[in-house]
Amino acid sequence: MTEYDNLLKVEYFIYDICDDSESNLFQFGTGIIPDLKSMIEGKRLVVALDQATKKTGVCIIDFDTRRLIAVLDLINTGFPSKTAYFESIYAFLCNHIKDSDIVHFIYEIPIEHSKNTYTRQILESMRMFIRDFGFRMPSLSDENMVEIYVTAWRGHFLADKRYSGKRKTRDDAKESTRQEVCRRFPSLLNYAYKRAEPPDSCDAVGIACGALTEMYSTYLKGFRRVNKTMPVKNYSCT
């Protein structure tokens, strides 16, 4: 724990515990959320991040059932540096999943997000920081860290024709993703729409679901397939 930890605001919704009236749950700091810790205990997990310098969305899914466990938004309320914010994200995640069975830890390759060189450099540095989780956190390794391009996960998650033409621009894609998240997980409706702007956790859900579709055959859940949009690792059957 550092002197800056309480500058992290954690908004969250635990899918099988919270109801529509509990869309405003939050805490400050990197401490353990007991209900979340109990919900992930004993499960094989998929964890997905939509990382940014002000807000980072998190999605946790049960790998074996594909059931959504929780969504979280880790908000920078005034850290003195981006590094301090990044470290608080690591501390929060470590407190919750360092002893868990993580099948995939998925995060986005952010280069496509911005034409601004400085912004790309910052996002790339965050990408490298997250990549190092595989060496720092006991439950992670190079084998279960997965990167995915934004066009790849959106292509799967927003494949329905209702989103035709709404996947390319940032604002349209984020709103379409929020709509699809609520269509698949109706209990998230109040959480997803408590503010005008979609929470980053909606993109994290899209990243998780889109990456799983990208990696695994749709007709045989446990069969991992070769694909051309993700960095090549070991694509043998699991």
Side-chain angles (χ1 to χ4, degrees), residues 133-135 137-145 233:
F133 286 9
F135 302 100
M137 197 179 299
S139 58
L140 299 178
S141 69
D142 185 54
E143 289 303 312
N144 59 13
M145 300 291 289
K233 291 185 180 179

Side-chain angles (χ1 to χ4, degrees), residues 103-197:
V103 181
H104 300 300
F105 188 99
I106 307 166
Y107 58 104
E108 189 180 74
I109 299 173
I111 295 301
E112 298 162 283
H113 274 315
S114 176
K115 295 181 180 179
N116 183 286
T117 301
Y118 176 74
T119 300
R120 288 206 310 271
Q121 289 174 343
I122 294 297
L123 291 174
E124 182 64 12
S125 69
M126 191 171 192
R127 174 191 176 193
M128 294 298 102
F129 181 83
I130 293 169
R131 180 180 287 178
D132 283 345
F133 286 9
F135 302 100
R136 298 175 63 188
M137 197 179 299
S139 58
L140 299 178
S141 69
D142 185 54
E143 289 303 312
N144 59 13
M145 300 291 289
V146 177
E147 295 182 316
I148 187 166
Y149 288 108
V150 60
T151 50
W153 73 257
R154 282 180 184 167
H156 293 299
F157 192 66
L158 302 177
D160 192 284
K161 62 182 180 180
R162 74 185 75 189
Y163 305 119
S164 178
K166 298 180 179 180
R167 292 192 289 265
K168 292 185 178 180
T169 67
R170 178 185 180 276
D171 290 346
D172 284 348
K174 287 186 76 69
E175 180 55 40
S176 296
T177 298
R178 174 162 65 176
Q179 292 174 18
E180 181 63 13
V181 165
C182 293
R183 188 181 74 83
R184 298 191 190 196
F185 307 103
S187 293
L188 282 178
L189 184 66
N190 285 346
Y191 184 87
Y193 281 93
K194 64 182 177 179
R195 294 189 180 92
E197 183 178 351

Side-chain angles (χ1 to χ4, degrees), residues 63-81:
F63 174 75
D64 294 304
T65 65
R66 299 297 201 265
R67 287 183 62 83
L68 179 67
I69 296 175
V71 294
L72 307 96
D73 288 276
L74 311 183
I75 301 169
N76 179 350
T77 66
F79 282 91
S81 68

Side-chain angles (χ1 to χ4, degrees), residues 37-48:
K37 191 73 172 176
S38 66
M39 285 298 295
I40 65 178
E41 186 175 357
K43 295 182 174 71
R44 298 202 300 161
L45 304 177
V46 174
V47 180

